[in-house]
Amino acid sequence: MGCFFSRRRKPAQGGQLQLQQAAAGQDAATGEQKAPQYSWDLRAKIDPKDYTFSGLKNETVGRLPGKVAGQQFVIQDCENCQIYIFDHSATITIDDCVNCQIFLGPIKGSVFFRDCKDCKCVVACQQFRTRDCRKLEVFLCCATQPIIESSTGMKFGCFQYYYPELALQFKDAGLSIFNNTWSNIHDFTPGENNWGLLPETAVVQDYVPLPSSEELKAVRVSTDATKSIIPITRGRRQKNSDESCLAVFFAGDYTTANARKLIDEMTSKGFQLVQTKEVLMKAEDAHRVFQQSALEFIPLLEKGPVVALEFNGDGAVEQCQSTVNEVFSGTKVFVSESKASAPQDVDNFFNFADMQMGM
């Protein structure tokens, strides 16, 4: 044992002194006291100017994918500007902007418009709020109920936008492309004509044009509704038919792709997508929502959240069943059994989902 210890190498006396000085926060060369260094001191310093647009007039400005990377952003005192944030962010505040056209990529938290007027926007976020705003036209994707306060002349449409990096940015921001309550507005100061919906025929590019600057043109944007990363839903608009159908996909490798495929198949045949939702379910939820079919689907719930779609139109149930049997024959999908049971299916699922998401 003594032999073992005798072979351990000891630091040279000078090395030992340097270790002691380092532990005491002293400079090894001079012996002077140094300020301690922490891990957060070693991170790249954030310059707020890189995440702010302030006091601009008649300019086109923006941030390319990867340039915001989840930071907070501030837009204030801008007039007659075109502003594009082609990245995900933590939160964004927009104050005192007039006659601006704004695109905001996925926002993990909230976006808050204050004292803005005559602006046209495309926005994706977890929470949306306005206060003291006038005449904002917004193509919106919002995971929770949008809130307006002391605001008038507000108009809302469903978010429709595409560029190659956008899907990953939604994931980085923790947003699901299927959770969009764009038309379910809560008005804290109710009054006549405070808000309404944009025309169904509204085209994003007519409101927020594609960027004109050479730098921002590098982002390959499409405002074609058929390419939109977010499925276009009717939301609270009046339904064209008294027949709806519920389809539910269960978690797996191709859940999103399968849901998009069914949307394409049904809408190409003239049926309308009313609403979508992605949410976790438990066994007791399945009994409440799927009724007699629950036992068949309960084992699938452990894999992750389900994606639900409501289609509307005469013959929606029969067409949805037929499409699922033809296109997804190897995949378990819940589809309403009949026109008679479908309204209860839709109510059961979306009432449950709204409760889960705290709406």
Side-chain angles (χ1 to χ4, degrees):
M1 190 66 92
C3 182
F4 176 78
F5 278 113
S6 69
R7 291 182 181 173
R8 292 182 65 186
R9 298 180 64 186
K10 297 179 182 178
Q13 190 172 3
Q16 184 71 46
L17 180 59
Q18 287 174 343
L19 288 173
Q20 290 171 345
Q21 288 175 326
Q26 294 175 346
D27 186 287
T30 65
E32 293 180 2
Q33 196 73 20
K34 291 190 304 182
Q37 268 203 324
Y38 301 103
S39 59
W40 51 84
D41 290 328
L42 303 176
R43 294 178 191 159
K45 295 286 189 249
I46 300 296
D47 187 344
K49 292 198 296 294
D50 293 336
Y51 305 96
T52 303
F53 290 134
S54 181
L56 305 179
K57 283 194 176 184
N58 306 310
E59 290 193 47
T60 296
V61 294
R63 289 289 181 268
L64 294 171
K67 295 301 183 183
V68 179
Q71 297 295 327
Q72 298 181 7
F73 210 96
V74 174
I75 302 170
Q76 60 191 17
D77 300 309
C78 295
E79 187 175 346
N80 300 323
C81 288
Q82 293 183 354
I83 299 169
Y84 304 86
I85 307 295
F86 290 127
D87 205 358
H88 70 103
S89 56
T91 61
I92 296 185
T93 54
I94 301 99
D95 292 327
D96 301 291
C97 289
V98 178
N99 195 33
C100 289
Q101 297 157 324
I102 302 170
F103 172 84
L104 302 178
I107 302 160
K108 186 170 188 173
S110 64
V111 60
F112 200 175
F113 287 81
R114 297 175 293 201
D115 299 290
C116 296
K117 63 180 181 180
D118 298 314
C119 292
K120 296 173 170 60
C121 313
V122 182
V123 179
C125 58
Q126 175 74 18
Q127 297 174 311
F128 176 91
R129 189 164 183 181
T130 72
R131 191 172 66 215
D132 300 316
C133 291
R134 187 157 52 88
K135 288 186 67 179
L136 263 57
E137 296 171 316
V138 186
F139 289 87
L140 179 63
C141 173
C142 187
T144 56
Q145 187 174 27
I147 293 171
I148 65 172
E149 182 179 1
S150 303
S151 299
T152 59
M154 311 289 290
K155 293 287 176 72
F156 294 91
C158 183
F159 181 103
Q160 17 193 310
Y161 217 78
Y162 170 84
Y163 53 87
E165 299 86 355
L166 190 53
L168 185 58
Q169 291 172 4
F170 264 87
K171 285 186 178 177
D172 287 340
L175 300 179
S176 167
I177 63 171
F178 297 109
N179 290 335
N180 185 10
T181 62
W182 66 270
S183 63
N184 186 18
I185 311 298
H186 178 73
D187 187 355
F188 264 132
T189 46
E192 286 188 24
N193 302 319
N194 280 353
W195 70 276
L197 302 183
L198 290 167
E200 283 186 69
T201 54
V203 177
V204 166
Q205 203 167 323
D206 294 342
Y207 293 76
V208 180
L210 299 183
S212 55
S213 74
E214 286 305 316
E215 180 192 26
L216 297 174
K217 279 182 184 177
V219 182
R220 290 176 290 151
V221 172
S222 172
T223 57
D224 181 346
T226 62
K227 293 183 178 178
S228 175
I229 198 79
I230 298 293
I232 311 301
T233 54
R234 285 189 67 73
R236 293 299 178 96
R237 289 194 178 101
Q238 187 171 353
K239 297 176 184 178
N240 290 345
S241 167
D242 62 359
E243 181 176 349
S244 274
C245 178
L246 178 69
V248 181
F249 287 89
F250 298 86
D253 293 338
Y254 305 105
T255 307
T256 297
N258 286 344
R260 299 298 303 244
K261 176 69 173 169
L262 182 59
I263 291 169
D264 290 345
E265 293 281 339
M266 291 293 286
T267 54
S268 70
K269 293 177 172 67
F271 297 95
Q272 294 188 313
L273 183 64
V274 177
Q275 57 183 332
T276 65
K277 196 73 76 175
E278 182 171 12
V279 67
L280 287 164
M281 294 185 79
K282 298 175 183 172
E284 57 266 32
D285 305 323
H287 284 292
R288 190 159 68 248
V289 172
F290 301 130
Q291 310 278 314
Q292 292 87 351
S293 308
L295 291 176
E296 180 184 352
F297 298 112
I298 284 173
L300 304 175
L301 300 179
E302 294 179 0
K303 295 181 179 178
V306 303
V307 172
L309 316 170
E310 179 192 352
F311 296 102
N312 182 260
D314 294 342
V317 172
E318 184 180 346
Q319 184 60 58
C320 195
Q321 289 175 347
S322 170
T323 303
V324 165
N325 288 335
E326 288 173 18
V327 181
F328 307 101
S329 56
T331 305
K332 281 207 172 190
V333 185
F334 173 87
V335 180
S336 294
E337 207 169 272
S338 67
K339 178 180 176 181
S341 66
Q344 193 64 54
D345 293 337
V346 170
D347 286 347
N348 285 346
F349 185 89
F350 287 101
N351 288 341
F352 145 75
D354 285 347
M355 285 173 56
Q356 284 291 99
M357 302 187 77
M359 291 183 198

